[in-house]
Amino acid sequence: MKHIGKKRTAAYIFAAAAVIIIGAVVIYDALSRTDTYETASVAMGSVLSVKIYGDNGEEAAEEIIERAQSAETQYISRYKETSEIYALNENGTGELSDFTAEIISKALEISENSGGAFDITIGNLSSLWDFDNEKNTVPSEDEITEALEGCGYEKITLSGNTCTLGENQTVDLGAVGKGAACDAAAEVLSEYEIDGAVISAGGTVLVYGENPDNEYWTVGIRTPEKDREDNFAALTVSGTAYISTSGSYEKSFEEDGVLYHHILSPETGMPAQSGLLSVTVVSGGGLVSDALSTACFVLGYESSADLLDMYNAFGIFVTEDKEVLTYGDMTCVFEITDDEYVYGD
Ligand code: ADP
Ligand code: MG
């Protein structure tokens, strides 16, 4: 009996100690876990998702969404009649806001540095193919020749904030809008003194500051196939970075066994054929990553090195044979997670 009593006392002490330890762990965990605020909306025809760690998350998120939506409606959309770019395309000239002028200026610089592979005056050609509205028709050669006549970034002039287009030119900022929205988001995060956040706008992701749950940020890279929504690789970065992916799996259609997609060659007027399924670019700027992923897709792996060097950017190229090539030495770790994809040499 005595013996049994001792055992029981020991069991009570053990149970009480366990309760105290578990309680302490729960309290420690609750204290150490940073608040997160998550929300999603739509901007520039894509999902805009926002995750903010720490205080002021809700206010900062609201402002990020508002700025992205007004960037579209007031400034850069070529579809919204309320935007500066719409008016510029209508009138051929216009006095732009600082916001739009800066985007045009940076985009023209990248147009030049990419040797015209990236070209914001591609508007007539984009409208002809009209992937945004799923026109899904291959234009005739004559139509392509006519649309290409207006194309040529060197014919635009930007003097101060006054922009003037060349004859029959239409500006299309579709390749940089989401990246520019991520740049604007970073400004908001800094204004609100946010420590860590992840913003995703279509194909561009901003990882900002410190990840409180981990030392690094890990971002999945979308499998470049139309019928898949998963990731084929993971990219690990520390601190702030912008990661943008452009691929032929996005807006596209197939006709007679040929895939026609929305990244167009300003040289041929046809969807760019550089042997790639997708390009992901990591850099220190949103507009830069977004523009470079489009430009590098047009240029192909071999011809992209100089451009990536110029912007101190890292590129991940997936070939049509599912080989994965990387270029650049930005401090990030890249890992393939799907064994259908292999490292190329
Ligand atoms: P997404 O907009 O799906 O993120 P991209 O950033 O690659 O993809 O941009 C593709 C869009 O950019 C096209 O839908 C078109 O509006 C425009 N575009 C297509 N080809 C070019 C090009 N060579 N240079 C500049 N813009 C382009
Ligand atoms: Mg782009």
Side-chain angles (χ1 to χ4, degrees):
M1 286 288 282
K2 222 177 166 191
H3 187 68
I4 292 167
K6 252 190 187 165
K7 246 191 178 173
R8 218 177 249 167
T9 310
Y12 286 141
I13 292 169
F14 179 76
V19 167
I20 290 165
I21 291 167
I22 291 168
V25 168
V26 168
I27 290 166
Y28 174 78
D29 195 41
L31 286 175
S32 65
R33 191 181 298 139
T34 315
D35 278 347
T36 58
Y37 181 79
E38 273 189 90
T39 187
S41 188
V42 172
M44 302 177 188
S46 294
V47 175
L48 172 65
S49 70
V50 179
K51 182 174 187 177
I52 298 179
Y53 296 88
D55 297 336
N56 302 327
E58 188 168 353
E59 294 89 328
E62 273 172 19
E63 195 161 331
I64 285 168
I65 291 167
E66 205 215 289
R67 283 210 209 174
Q69 289 172 342
S70 72
E72 179 185 15
T73 53
Q74 283 183 43
Y75 303 118
I76 61 174
S77 168
R78 69 192 169 99
Y79 298 119
K80 307 261 181 200
E81 292 180 15
T82 45
S83 86
E84 289 183 355
I85 291 297
Y86 187 94
L88 177 67
N89 285 337
E90 283 288 296
N91 305 327
T93 185
E95 185 68 17
L96 305 175
S97 61
D98 289 348
F99 181 77
T100 309
E102 198 178 321
I103 291 175
I104 298 242
S105 163
K106 283 189 193 164
L108 286 176
E109 181 199 285
I110 296 171
S111 296
E112 197 171 329
N113 288 336
S114 68
F118 173 81
D119 193 327
I120 56 165
T121 64
I122 204 159
N124 291 344
L125 195 63
S126 310
S127 298
L128 177 64
W129 284 91
D130 204 9
F131 286 98
D132 287 341
N133 295 305
E134 297 178 32
K135 186 175 169 192
N136 296 356
T137 308
V138 181
S140 70
E141 272 182 37
D142 285 352
E143 286 173 315
I144 288 176
T145 307
E146 195 188 328
L148 276 176
E149 275 166 18
C151 189
Y153 68 90
E154 63 289 341
K155 292 182 222 154
I156 290 198
T157 57
L158 181 68
S159 163
N161 284 15
T162 308
C163 188
T164 305
L165 306 183
E167 204 178 319
N168 192 26
Q169 273 197 323
T170 312
V171 168
D172 171 11
L173 296 177
V176 291
K178 285 157 249 169
C182 285
D183 285 330
E187 276 177 30
V188 176
L189 293 168
S190 156
E191 281 161 25
Y192 280 84
E193 297 181 358
I194 300 293
D195 292 331
V198 181
I199 314 296
S200 159
T204 303
V205 177
L206 159 63
V207 289
Y208 179 91
E210 301 291 317
N211 180 353
D213 296 335
N214 199 327
E215 209 176 322
Y216 304 102
W217 299 108
T218 300
V219 177
I221 303 179
R222 178 68 204 270
T223 307
E225 297 169 44
K226 204 163 187 174
D227 53 355
R228 287 182 57 176
E229 298 253 312
D230 56 349
N231 300 320
F232 81 99
L235 194 65
T236 304
V237 291
S238 102
T240 300
Y242 298 80
I243 300 127
S244 184
T245 301
S246 291
S248 58
Y249 60 88
E250 290 181 86
K251 296 164 195 161
S252 57
F253 66 93
E254 229 180 280
E255 196 178 288
D256 299 332
V258 180
L259 181 75
Y260 296 91
H261 60 81
H262 73 147
I263 305 168
L264 302 168
S265 160
E267 211 171 283
T268 63
M270 298 293 287
Q273 283 185 307
S274 49
L276 297 172
L277 295 178
S278 76
V279 178
T280 298
V281 171
V282 187
S283 86
L287 184 147
V288 168
S289 288
D290 201 357
L292 259 52
S293 65
T294 308
C296 292
F297 191 101
V298 176
L299 288 167
Y301 174 70
E302 302 289 341
S303 306
S304 291
D306 287 350
L307 188 63
L308 290 167
D309 282 341
M310 272 182 229
Y311 291 92
N312 195 22
F314 180 77
I316 299 156
F317 299 75
V318 185
T319 72
E320 285 167 350
D321 302 329
K322 299 190 180 177
E323 273 196 359
V324 185
L325 305 159
T326 60
Y327 182 84
D329 55 10
M330 202 177 133
T331 47
C332 56
V333 177
F334 171 74
E335 192 194 357
I336 295 175
T337 50
D338 178 336
D339 54 20
E340 273 184 40
Y341 288 79
V342 293
Y343 295 98
D345 20 64

